[in-house]
Amino acid sequence: MKKYGVNELRQMFLDFMESKGHLVMKSFSLVPQGDKSVLLINAGMTPLKPYFTGAEIPPRKRVSTCQKCIRTGDIENVGKTARHGTFFEMLGNFSFGDYFKREALHWSWEFLTEVVGLDPDRLYPSVYLEDDEAFEIWNKEIGIPAERIFRFGKEDNFWEHGAGPCGPCSEIYYDRGEKYGCGKPGCTVGCDCDRYMEVWNDVFTQFENDGNGNYTELTQKNIDTGMGLERLAVAVQDVDSIFDVDTICALRNLVCEIAGKEYGKTYLDDVSIRLITDHIRSATFMISDGIMPTNEGRGYVLRRLIRRAARHGRLLGIEGTFLAKLSAEVIRGSKDGYPELEEKKEFIFKVITNEENQFNKTIDQGLRILAEMEEKMKEDGVKTLSGENVFKLYDTYGFPVDLTKEILEEKGYDVDEEGFHAAMEEQRQKAREAREVTNYMGADATVYDEIDVTVTTEFMGYDHLTYDSKVSVLTTEKEIVTSLMEGQRGTVFVEQTPFYATMGGQEGDRGVIETANGRFVVEDTIKLRGGKFGHVGYMESGMISAGETVTLKVDVKGRKDTEKNHSATHLLQKALKTVLGSHVEQKGSLVTPDRLRFDFAHFQAMTEEELAKVEDLVNEQIQAGLDVRTDIMNIEEAKKSGAMALFGEKYSEKVRVVSMGDFSRELCGGTHVDNTGSIMLFKIVSESGIAAGVRRIEALTGNGVLEYYKKQEAALHAAAKALKANPSEILDKIAHLQGEVKSLQSENESLKSKLAQGALGDVMNQVTEVKGVKVLAAKVEGVDMNGLRDLGDQLKEKLGEGVVVLVAVNAGKVNLLAMVTDAAQKAGAHAGNLIKAVAAIVGGGGGGRPNMAQAGGKNPEKAQEAVDAVAGILEGQLK
């Protein structure tokens, strides 16, 4: 049997399914679209749910994909065994009410035995206990002896996920031979050892579960089959595990090379090597779909994967950043199947290295915090780090429990793992409660789910702003209706519309729909599954009925202003790439009639000079009056023409490419100006960070810029009036006032210092000694914190070596200060601990460093009591 590589097997499967009439679709993004039930796509069928439930009409009744997937349920075991991984590719063929069991099983067998060349005598099918139909097909039609077909129960061979479509399944196991087995007598299919490996799973979706275990037969029966590509490669290449198949093995070997380690020598090194190999695959693919490291949701999954890999790099003795080098190998091995990896590689490397650097800083910070926790445990005579602190290190500093455990074990401490898991569970519970309740589709259930799936809308708004069309469906906020009356809110669906629905960052159009005897005000236009455009608003007068022909009129000024802002975002994106570098990628945008917002990947705040360059470049293109052209072409032609595509976006075969002269070319379904000159002007009003590695620019165009300058001018005149000066004299006037303020502040500080000394009088005669350390504790009236610090410095100088504690009563509150010299610290005095105890007497709190600390309190009547307590508190500290 030929040992095909991973990339060959992927292509062989897709070609085979195409020959059986399947439409081969590209892998969907790892980011679920309109599905809140999962954070990341975890199976080949997940992105196809709408086709299985009939919520959307599939492009063809037979579809085949190789879907990138991530599952993190077993993340703690990744590396510890050679079985577990987080990223995998799932080969799948799907039938939406077309073929069923017979074809599915025959093709599984044909592909595995005739195309790939696996030995038929080493393949063992399994079926669900009660599924006689599948048993008959394997036995009578394909010719597998009955004793080689295994019947398993619900646990193994029935696929269901709560309420919704479900059904039995049939799996195919491959006998890898005795060398992979456990050697026990009776070892066969279903044994936990690695000899019999499941390579294919055919799911027959034939029932509907109502959620209470009641099953009804589905009228549209579906086929959902899945096969892990890496698993198939393990069988075909006859290797030990997924870490030994060609592409993953090349990556594993590079990890070993960078770390200067040999795989298979020591268990702990192997754990780290496997973990890094797996996690960098996941991270590379996630970033290529636009996911950024953050502290929640899928961004947190990514952050955790990168940080775990970086931490295991440290365990292997790798110094500095190294993950981008590994990511380059992931891209080299997988770009055949996923060209987007190559297209986005600069960006991927930048995100990974940035996160790695952040982690290196965080881990050092975390080590310091852990050292403080150790110190506290030593003081308290405790040998176990609390679960709360273990969780804090994990949650805030990305310290896995095993890292905390490892560091502490060396010093004779252990950790409260139970307490840690309780804190984890509490956080999970909060996350679960925050999750939205969704239907089987993983989307919020709305009245729109009830609309016939064949209803769709044709968009006419590229060429028309007014259009006559027929009403196909009307709904209120709760139900489908035949008419809407005056005062009622609802949604109007028509066959053809000039209204643009919110998509790609462009806000939906507003306007009116006029009927023979009524007027509906459109406040928003939304896009729903199956290409339906919903015109959301209220009936201003008269009524509207399903089936009648209406006139749809878009608010022209709003649309034109939106177009100026939308076209400006295209110029802005190109300008940012030109000024900042090719790693800049769009992360989101919002285009309304009033303004534009553009989010992009970049790793530090832009300088004033960079902002000015970008703004000038955009204005140059506006002044150049570039023609804006839209071409319709297929996706491959579009990419070859250099058009920029959006991350994680699923494009149909035919796409719109919007070009602005030779300056900008992007895939975009939005509406635009005909010539950049129409934009008139462009002005950036703010640039800020909104997430790790994501910046946001807000800007204005056209009349919005003129309005902005009018407001600036009005503010300037108001400021001049307040300063009793002409606008041209404002700067001189401000400089003069600043000088005056500085001189008054200096005079004020000097008077305050004299007053403080006067209020305190000569206190050096109040110096006492505690265990040989000089102590000066005194009360003072009407001094603020700054004055108190100055006073403390003076007294410390006079004292030479020792402890100074001052308690000031000021405006009904208490300020406290403690200063400890080096010699007093050596004797055991600690300013932070001392002030904490003294502040408690005046009903306050605070703390600080060993040499200086400050605090506040709210009981001035206890100020003298606090002063009197200093000597006793200090005595307890001194050795």
Side-chain angles (χ1 to χ4, degrees):
M1 178 180 74
K2 190 177 167 198
K3 297 189 173 179
Y4 298 106
V6 167
N7 290 313
E8 286 177 289
L9 287 168
R10 185 193 302 112
Q11 201 52 53
M12 285 158 70
F13 176 81
L14 296 173
D15 289 347
F16 175 77
M17 287 303 164
E18 195 168 31
S19 76
K20 303 295 183 191
H22 291 74
L23 169 69
V24 171
M25 293 173 79
K26 279 204 174 77
S27 171
F28 289 78
S29 166
L30 281 164
V31 180
Q33 304 296 314
D35 182 347
K36 297 175 187 165
S37 65
V38 287
L39 268 187
L40 293 156
I41 294 298
N42 56 9
M45 68 76 65
T46 312
L48 302 170
K49 279 188 204 172
Y51 303 146
F52 280 114
T53 58
E56 255 185 76
I57 297 168
R60 198 182 292 172
K61 285 194 162 195
R62 299 180 180 189
V63 163
S64 181
T65 60
C66 177
Q67 175 65 42
K68 44 197 175 186
C69 301
I70 285 183
R71 289 182 188 172
T72 54
D74 281 328
I75 193 167
E76 300 301 340
N77 291 318
V78 172
K80 291 178 185 170
T81 74
R83 275 183 175 190
H84 293 93
T86 55
F87 177 84
F88 63 99
E89 296 178 55
M90 192 180 269
L91 301 167
N93 55 294
F94 310 93
S95 159
F96 312 113
D98 185 5
Y99 63 82
F100 202 47
K101 290 183 192 178
R102 173 162 289 105
E103 294 86 341
L105 295 180
H106 276 276
W107 291 337
S108 309
W109 190 253
E110 185 185 340
F111 179 73
L112 291 175
T113 58
E114 293 176 30
V115 179
V116 176
L118 291 179
D119 179 353
D121 293 335
R122 291 167 74 175
L123 290 169
Y124 296 81
S126 74
V127 296
Y128 176 51
L129 269 178
E130 299 164 16
D131 193 353
D132 295 334
E133 187 187 354
F135 185 92
E136 296 280 303
I137 296 167
W138 281 121
N139 180 230
K140 299 220 163 79
E141 295 180 21
I142 296 170
I144 314 281
E147 64 276 8
R148 281 186 44 206
I149 305 168
F150 291 77
R151 286 186 186 257
F152 291 133
K154 226 172 186 187
E155 182 88 351
D156 296 299
N157 278 50
F158 196 92
W159 189 92
E160 63 185 332
H161 184 81
C166 58
C169 63
S170 174
E171 298 178 328
I172 304 173
Y173 292 83
Y174 178 68
D175 177 3
R176 301 168 65 206
E178 281 177 29
K179 61 180 170 179
Y180 297 108
C182 54
K184 291 177 189 160
C187 169
T188 184
V189 172
C191 179
D192 270 347
C193 72
D194 289 337
R195 177 171 175 175
Y196 295 92
M197 183 170 77
E198 176 217 323
V199 286
W200 195 305
N201 186 9
D202 278 294
V203 179
F204 312 124
T205 317
Q206 62 189 95
F207 303 113
E208 173 83 25
N209 179 353
D210 66 357
N212 301 312
N214 300 315
Y215 300 94
T216 49
E217 194 92 8
L218 282 171
T219 44
Q220 179 186 298
K221 294 182 173 60
N222 303 314
I223 287 288
D224 156 21
T225 85
M227 167 165 62
L229 174 59
E230 295 85 349
R231 269 193 177 196
L232 176 65
V234 167
V236 171
Q237 294 173 22
D238 190 21
V239 290
D240 200 39
S241 76
I242 56 168
F243 294 97
D244 304 288
V245 302
D246 58 331
T247 49
I248 305 174
C249 184
L251 179 61
R252 188 197 79 194
N253 291 343
L254 182 57
V255 177
C256 294
E257 189 187 311
I258 293 171
K261 300 278 184 186
E262 199 180 319
Y263 187 64
K265 272 284 168 74
T266 68
Y267 173 70
L268 284 179
D269 283 352
D270 287 355
V271 168
S272 296
I273 292 163
R274 285 192 289 261
L275 182 140
I276 295 168
T277 303
D278 168 77
H279 284 13
I280 194 63
R281 291 179 78 220
S282 288
T284 301
F285 275 91
M286 285 173 83
I287 299 165
S288 82
D289 279 336
I291 299 167
M292 295 287 277
T294 62
N295 279 335
E296 65 226 341
R298 59 185 74 91
Y300 181 62
V301 174
L302 173 61
R303 170 159 282 167
R304 202 170 159 211
L305 290 164
I306 295 174
R307 292 187 167 192
R308 279 168 65 98
R311 130 120 171 102
H312 278 270
R314 279 189 172 211
L315 290 183
L316 290 174
I318 301 172
E319 284 176 18
T321 56
F322 67 100
L323 292 175
K325 195 172 175 186
L326 294 174
S327 180
E329 177 58 36
V330 176
I331 293 171
R332 196 191 65 76
S334 299
K335 64 184 180 187
D336 283 7
Y338 305 95
E340 66 272 18
L341 293 173
E342 180 70 26
E343 289 164 26
K344 308 287 182 193
K345 68 177 178 188
E346 294 309 320
F347 176 71
I348 295 168
F349 300 158
K350 201 116 186 183
V351 173
I352 288 176
T353 305
N354 191 60
E355 183 62 19
E356 218 177 338
N357 286 328
Q358 291 280 99
F359 179 59
N360 286 336
K361 276 185 220 153
T362 311
I363 206 163
D364 294 333
Q365 203 180 347
L367 287 167
R368 282 200 298 278
I369 303 285
L370 182 54
E372 282 172 27
M373 289 175 178
E374 278 175 55
E375 194 61 39
K376 184 85 175 75
M377 284 159 72
K378 200 185 289 176
E379 268 176 38
D380 300 344
V382 174
K383 282 286 183 189
T384 303
L385 184 64
S386 73
E388 193 185 326
N389 278 339
V390 179
F391 182 70
K392 183 181 172 184
L393 283 165
Y394 167 79
D395 203 39
T396 315
Y397 301 102
F399 265 51
V401 189
D402 51 348
L403 175 58
T404 307
K405 220 161 130 184
E406 207 173 286
I407 295 167
L408 289 174
E409 271 170 7
E410 290 165 11
K411 297 170 187 176
Y413 295 104
D414 60 10
V415 303
D416 171 15
E417 285 193 62
E418 237 171 75
F420 166 75
H421 290 302
M424 272 287 274
E425 192 45 49
E426 194 180 321
Q427 195 202 44
R428 279 201 191 111
Q429 192 55 41
K430 278 183 195 159
R432 273 198 291 271
E433 283 161 14
R435 230 177 253 159
E436 293 166 72
V437 179
T438 61
N439 57 19
Y440 166 76
M441 286 296 302
D444 294 326
T446 67
V447 60
Y448 306 131
D449 295 339
E450 294 160 29
I451 299 172
D452 185 335
V453 68
T454 58
V455 170
T456 189
T457 314
E458 188 183 353
F459 178 57
M460 313 304 290
Y462 292 123
D463 309 305
H464 303 272
L465 292 180
T466 300
Y467 207 80
D468 290 351
S469 184
K470 200 183 200 180
V471 176
S472 44
V473 177
L474 293 170
T475 78
T476 62
E477 285 156 309
K478 294 199 172 100
E479 57 184 343
I480 295 174
V481 291
T482 51
S483 58
L484 288 172
M485 314 295 286
E486 195 167 311
Q488 272 190 300
R489 294 194 63 79
T491 305
V492 178
F493 293 86
V494 291
E495 290 171 359
Q496 294 164 311
T497 182
F499 281 74
Y500 184 85
T502 303
M503 267 177 296
Q506 181 174 330
E507 208 176 59
D509 282 330
R510 297 169 186 198
V512 294
I513 299 176
E514 292 175 347
T515 74
N517 57 1
R519 182 179 158 93
F520 181 88
V521 175
V522 180
E523 295 172 315
D524 191 11
T525 310
I526 57 173
K527 187 167 186 220
L528 300 162
R529 285 190 183 283
K532 292 185 259 295
F533 284 33
H535 305 78
V536 182
Y538 62 93
M539 208 66 214
E540 185 182 76
S541 62
M543 70 179 279
I544 188 169
S545 303
E548 74 174 307
T549 298
V550 294
T551 301
L552 299 106
K553 294 179 178 175
V554 173
D555 166 17
V556 177
K557 185 182 181 305
R559 165 74 85 86
K560 293 292 177 200
D561 286 345
T562 300
E563 288 176 348
K564 286 174 188 167
N565 284 327
H566 196 159
S567 296
T569 61
H570 284 226
L571 297 176
L572 172 61
Q573 172 159 224
K574 182 60 194 282
L576 285 166
K577 278 185 181 281
T578 307
V579 173
L580 301 177
S582 63
H583 65 273
V584 167
E585 288 286 349
Q586 180 174 339
K587 301 299 299 170
S589 69
L590 175 69
V591 180
T592 73
D594 311 318
R595 65 195 171 104
L596 66 95
R597 194 172 79 197
F598 188 76
D599 299 342
F600 59 100
H602 186 54
F603 300 93
Q604 61 267 341
M606 288 176 69
T607 63
E608 280 185 27
E609 189 189 359
E610 286 168 340
L611 285 165
K613 271 189 187 166
V614 166
E615 199 175 270
D616 290 347
L617 192 48
V618 173
N619 279 312
E620 274 170 32
Q621 305 312 313
I622 291 170
Q623 304 311 320
L626 307 174
D627 280 332
V628 177
R629 199 179 76 245
T630 302
D631 296 302
I632 294 167
M633 50 180 91
N634 72 42
I635 188 87
E636 292 314 317
E637 285 171 344
K639 286 189 175 172
K640 277 186 196 130
S641 78
M644 283 190 274
L646 273 187
F647 259 140
E649 190 80 12
K650 189 76 185 169
Y651 292 102
S652 48
E653 259 324 290
K654 289 285 181 195
V655 290
R656 296 175 69 82
V657 176
V658 177
S659 311
M660 299 184 184
D662 293 328
F663 183 72
S664 155
R665 182 170 287 130
E666 286 187 41
L667 299 183
C668 180
T671 65
H672 289 276
V673 297
D674 294 329
N675 183 289
T676 58
S678 310
I679 302 169
M680 291 164 51
L681 288 162
F682 173 79
K683 171 74 191 143
I684 294 173
V685 290
S686 74
E687 188 270 354
S688 58
I690 56 161
V694 182
R695 310 294 302 173
R696 168 171 290 172
I697 278 179
E698 305 229 14
L700 303 167
T701 61
N703 290 322
V705 180
L706 299 178
E707 284 302 319
Y708 171 81
Y709 281 122
K710 268 187 206 165
K711 280 183 190 159
Q712 295 290 320
E713 200 176 4
L716 185 67
H717 283 291
K721 196 174 174 188
L723 289 165
K724 297 188 173 60
N726 291 324
S728 59
E729 298 164 349
I730 281 182
L731 290 177
D732 292 341
K733 189 80 174 179
I734 289 172
H736 175 68
L737 284 172
Q738 281 174 328
E740 230 171 273
V741 168
K742 207 171 185 185
S743 134
L744 288 168
Q745 271 174 339
S746 162
E747 204 177 311
N748 194 21
E749 289 303 319
S750 152
L751 286 168
K752 272 188 184 165
S753 180
K754 280 180 190 158
L755 275 170
Q757 284 168 23
L760 192 62
D762 186 13
V763 288
M764 292 314 284
N765 57 4
Q766 293 176 26
V767 175
T768 59
E769 272 201 20
V770 176
K771 290 188 179 175
V773 174
K774 284 194 280 186
V775 185
L776 172 54
K779 177 187 165 197
V780 58
E781 295 287 337
V783 180
D784 66 8
M785 209 67 209
N786 284 340
L788 211 55
R789 276 196 292 266
D790 289 344
L791 209 50
D793 284 335
Q794 291 167 29
L795 292 172
K796 192 171 74 165
E797 210 155 290
K798 283 186 187 174
L799 193 64
E801 283 292 349
V803 175
V804 175
V805 177
L806 296 175
V807 180
V809 175
N810 188 28
K813 289 204 172 125
V814 188
N815 289 325
L816 301 99
L817 175 85
M819 289 181 162
V820 176
T821 63
D822 291 349
Q825 279 182 61
K826 282 181 186 138
H830 185 292
N833 296 342
L834 180 58
I835 206 80
K836 206 172 185 181
V838 176
I841 296 167
V842 288
R849 299 187 303 277
N851 63 330
M852 205 277 274
Q854 56 192 49
K858 50 185 184 292
N859 300 333
E861 67 279 1
K862 295 206 171 174
Q864 190 57 48
E865 191 186 318
V867 171
D868 297 340
V870 170
I873 294 167
L874 182 63
E875 193 172 353
Q877 280 192 356
L878 297 175
K879 292 167 183 164

